[in-house]
Amino acid sequence: TITNDKGRLSQEEIDRMVADAEKYKADDEKEVQRISAKNGLESYAYQAKAAVEDDKVKDKISEDERKSVLDKCNETISWLDSNQSAEKDEYEHKQKELEKVFNPVITKIYGAAGGAGGMPGGMPGGFPGAAPGGDSGAAAGGPTIEEVD
C-alpha cells in the first residue's frame, strides 16, 4: 500500500508508483513461476537421486538402471548450476527428460514393493508426479486424475 501519511509525496507521485506496481505485476508473476519451476526441477533431481541411492531399493533395480538415473540426475543438477536464469519452459523440459528416465525405475521399485505408499526411505507424500500410493489406477469410487499436456 502506498500512502501519503506525512505529505512527502504528491498525488501524481503516488499515482505513478501505483501504475508502476501494476505494470510490473505480470513480470513478477512470471518470475515467481520461473523460480517455482527451477526449484521443482532441483527438488525432483535430488529426490530421484536419493531414491536410487537408498539401500532399501538397491536390490530392486539393476545397476544399469541405477546408474542411468544417477547420471541423468547429475547431468540435470550440473545443468541447473550453469543455467540459473533459464526460462520456465526450459526447466519444465529438463524435468520431463528426467522423468522419462526415472519413472520406469520408480514404477519397478513400487511394483517390487507391492505398491506400498510413500517413497522408499520414508519420504512423506510419495514422489512428486507419481501416482498416490504407487497405484496406477483410481481407487474404488475415488477421483481419476488425467495428465493433460
Side-chain angles (χ1 to χ4, degrees), residues 50-147:
V52 296
E53 288 177 334
D54 189 341
D55 290 335
K56 295 175 186 171
V57 300
K58 284 186 179 178
D59 59 337
K60 295 177 182 148
I61 58 174
S62 72
E63 185 61 30
D64 288 342
E65 289 171 319
R66 194 174 82 76
K67 185 176 180 341
S68 71
V69 171
L70 286 175
D71 288 347
K72 191 66 175 174
C73 288
N74 290 330
E75 173 192 319
T76 301
I77 291 165
S78 294
W79 181 85
L80 274 165
D81 288 342
S82 59
N83 292 281
Q84 290 290 313
S85 51
E87 293 297 317
K88 175 186 169 202
D89 294 343
E90 292 175 274
Y91 292 126
E92 289 172 346
H93 177 72
K94 281 290 185 184
Q95 182 157 343
K96 286 184 183 190
E97 285 181 3
L98 181 55
E99 287 171 356
K100 283 180 187 173
V101 173
F102 181 65
N103 283 347
V105 175
I106 197 69
T107 302
K108 184 176 181 179
I109 292 169
Y110 275 124
M119 207 38 208
M123 286 181 153
F127 205 80
D135 187 11
S136 60
T144 57
I145 301 172
E146 290 183 30
E147 184 173 324

